[in-house]
Amino acid sequence: MNRYRYHLLVALCFLLLETALYLVFMYAPTESTMGQVQRIFYFHVASAWISFLAFFVVCAAGIVFLKTGSSEWDRLAACSAELGVLFISMVLLTGPLWAKPVWNTWWSWDARLTTSLVLWLIYVAYLMVRRYSVDPERGARFAAVFGIIGFLDVPIVYLSIRWWRTLHPSAVIAGGEGSGLAPAMWTTLMAALLAFTMLYITLLVLNYRIISLADRAQSAKQASLRRPLA
Amino acid sequence: MNFIQPIRSILLKDLLLEWRNKDILVSMLVFSLTVVVIFNFVFEPGSAEMQATVPGILWVVFIFASQLGLSRSYAREQENGLMHGLLLCPVDRSLIFTAKALGNLLFILLVEVVTLPVMTVLFDLQFHHQWPRLLLVLGLGAWGFATVGTLFSAIAANTRSREVMLPILLFPVSVPIILASIKSTSYLLSGRNVQDIDPWVRLLIAFDVIYFVVCYLLYEYVVEE
């Protein structure tokens, strides 16, 4: 990909994010009981979805990497994991900001909140395994193995904590009776989701590029060290 | 049967090694007793609070003791290049995994079997004639930790922060085992009926089966050099 395509990607991402911001603050109606603070919902939910997407990519890329052994997939998994941690951190930051005025508490140990926190811990551990491995090649394999297990763990963690106790509202979308969004809110959520997906893709592409360049620089450095002095 | 033989040999080797110097078991046991004593200071003895938290304490003790044992048992494998020898054996890697997991299971079970009576005496636990179920829960919880822990201890041993890495990997992933074990144990000790307990036991079984299969398949990628 040449440089202009990166520029195009960033420009497109910027446009979508601006549109989403406009819709969130100007177009979407104010929620009747929660008021203005509910607008954080669009960022909160979009970040949560993107973090799941990112962790799914980590798991899938990990499986392909273990099967083929090609380092591109490992690099993809590494980039996606970093972004996943970024977005899940966003979820954990926007959640309490919204919860304090609405639930009158920053945090509750309910199924979704606890699962998000466990998820955050799992993927921070994932990044640590990668970074702290003695041998980088084995580190990539450890990370792939841990990424697969971590992702499989998510539904089980969620299920078990849900049985334990729950307070978080059931899913607004397809969450059964009493759930549902006003059409304008729905449009805004979809726009926010699209913008965040684009942001994820843009960051993933740029991050991938940076890591590839760093790898190339590293191997060039090693090659020059091996060359005998003239 | 040609898969029982290698598992048995590796398991017997681990048990023999442990029998000769006993360092893993002794340290796990003394550690768990120490933790029990520390917890005694957290709550007023004999209070209702204490009775409600005993199942949690019980599992905290087991979890920490097993984590110690797991990292020791892999570290032993690395001394004198034992792991290289094991990998050179003409045996499927998954069988090595199964044997190591069984060995770890035995260590954890032994710690549970010794700690439980001590806890019973010190905290006056009531079992409401639910012995078979309690033993089942202890066994399933131990097996869950042994499988995931065997895989993760191989990963943790090859990172720079070794002993610290194992709990960081193991604890978040084993949240479902921790939850299900604590919940079913607390129901058993408070004499709740079987309908309340069984969903948690089933969750434990499901977790154990899924994780055994996944770890069994992934082990070879972890030990391969």
Side-chain angles (χ1 to χ4, degrees), chain B residues 57-198:
Chain B
I57 297 175
L58 197 68
W59 280 98
V60 167
V61 171
F62 293 157
I63 291 161
F64 281 85
S66 358
Q67 178 254 316
L68 276 183
L70 285 163
S71 63
R72 268 307 302 155
S73 91
Y74 197 85
R76 174 186 284 167
E77 213 60 66
Q78 283 189 315
E79 284 158 20
N80 306 322
L82 260 176
M83 198 64 206
H84 289 286
L86 206 52
L87 292 177
L88 285 174
C89 294
V91 173
D92 202 42
R93 302 279 155 85
S94 353
L95 296 183
I96 300 180
F97 168 75
T98 313
K100 307 259 0 145
L102 283 172
N104 287 327
L105 171 72
L106 286 180
F107 294 156
I108 301 174
L109 279 180
L110 208 75
V111 171
E112 290 182 345
V113 166
V114 175
T115 316
L116 191 65
V118 177
M119 292 277 284
T120 311
V121 171
L122 292 179
F123 294 98
D124 189 23
L125 304 182
Q126 305 290 326
F127 295 106
H128 308 278
H129 306 289
Q130 290 279 24
W131 280 106
R133 261 208 179 62
L134 184 68
L135 292 179
L136 180 69
V137 168
L138 288 178
L140 289 171
W143 178 237
F145 272 107
T147 45
V148 183
T150 305
L151 184 77
F152 287 174
S153 62
I155 293 181
N158 287 295
T159 59
R160 263 172 279 145
S161 43
R162 285 168 174 252
E163 283 81 8
V164 190
M165 207 61 204
L166 182 62
I168 290 177
L169 299 176
L170 184 59
F171 293 167
V173 169
S174 41
V175 162
I177 325 178
I178 301 174
L179 272 183
S181 310
I182 292 181
K183 202 71 175 181
S184 40
T185 312
S186 84
Y187 282 172
L188 281 166
L189 294 183
S190 58
R192 292 277 280 269
N193 51 9
V194 181
Q195 290 97 303
D196 290 337
I197 304 165
D198 278 354

Side-chain angles (χ1 to χ4, degrees), chain A:
Chain A
M1 225 194 283
N2 67 39
R3 245 177 54 184
Y4 294 103
R5 286 206 217 148
Y6 288 112
H7 290 171
L8 193 70
L9 195 63
V10 173
L12 186 63
C13 180
F14 177 76
L15 264 178
L16 281 170
L17 279 171
E18 291 303 303
T19 316
L21 273 178
Y22 176 81
L23 289 176
V24 167
F25 287 106
M26 300 298 181
Y27 171 72
T30 309
E31 213 269 344
S32 57
T33 49
M34 290 187 255
Q36 298 292 356
V37 70
Q38 183 267 345
R39 291 181 198 276
I40 207 170
F41 156 83
Y42 303 105
F43 304 109
H44 182 71
V45 174
S47 309
W49 283 13
I50 297 307
S51 67
F52 281 120
L53 173 68
F55 296 144
F56 171 74
V57 171
V58 173
C59 175
I63 294 174
V64 180
F65 170 67
L66 287 184
K67 281 279 155 226
T68 61
S70 78
S71 60
E72 284 96 16
W73 291 99
D74 174 55
R75 226 176 274 161
L76 177 68
C79 295
S80 192
E82 282 178 11
L83 294 175
V85 170
L86 178 72
F87 280 101
I88 196 86
S89 307
M90 287 273 291
V91 173
L92 290 174
L93 289 174
T94 51
L97 288 180
W98 185 14
K100 184 65 183 169
V102 174
W103 292 344
N104 201 24
T105 173
W106 296 109
W107 182 263
S108 88
W109 288 100
D110 125 289
R112 285 175 202 222
L113 279 77
T114 316
T115 308
S116 316
L117 189 57
V118 171
L119 216 74
W120 188 87
L121 286 171
I122 290 179
Y123 285 92
V124 168
Y126 174 95
L127 295 180
M128 286 174 76
V129 164
R130 191 176 273 288
R131 204 61 49 91
Y132 294 165
S133 285
V134 183
D135 167 11
E137 245 171 74
R138 292 189 76 189
R141 249 180 290 132
F142 294 160
V145 165
F146 191 70
I148 295 168
I149 295 187
F151 191 71
L152 289 177
D153 205 39
V154 176
I156 310 178
V157 171
Y158 178 68
L159 181 78
S160 59
I161 307 174
R162 200 177 141 151
W163 284 1
W164 186 263
R165 59 195 148 193
T166 205
L167 169 74
H168 194 283
S170 58
V172 211
I173 294 130
E177 258 178 76
S179 72
L181 276 179
M185 288 182 169
W186 176 265
T187 317
T188 311
L189 178 63
M190 287 302 125
L193 196 58
L194 182 69
F196 270 62
T197 311
M198 200 58 210
L199 179 64
Y200 167 72
I201 293 172
T202 310
L203 291 174
L204 189 67
V205 168
L206 294 178
N207 201 2
Y208 186 89
R209 171 98 177 129
I210 291 169
I211 295 188
S212 312
L213 287 175
D215 283 355
R216 259 176 64 191
Q218 188 64 31
S219 51
K221 196 167 133 197
Q222 269 161 8
S224 75
L225 285 176
R226 273 198 300 271
R227 202 181 305 137
L229 290 171

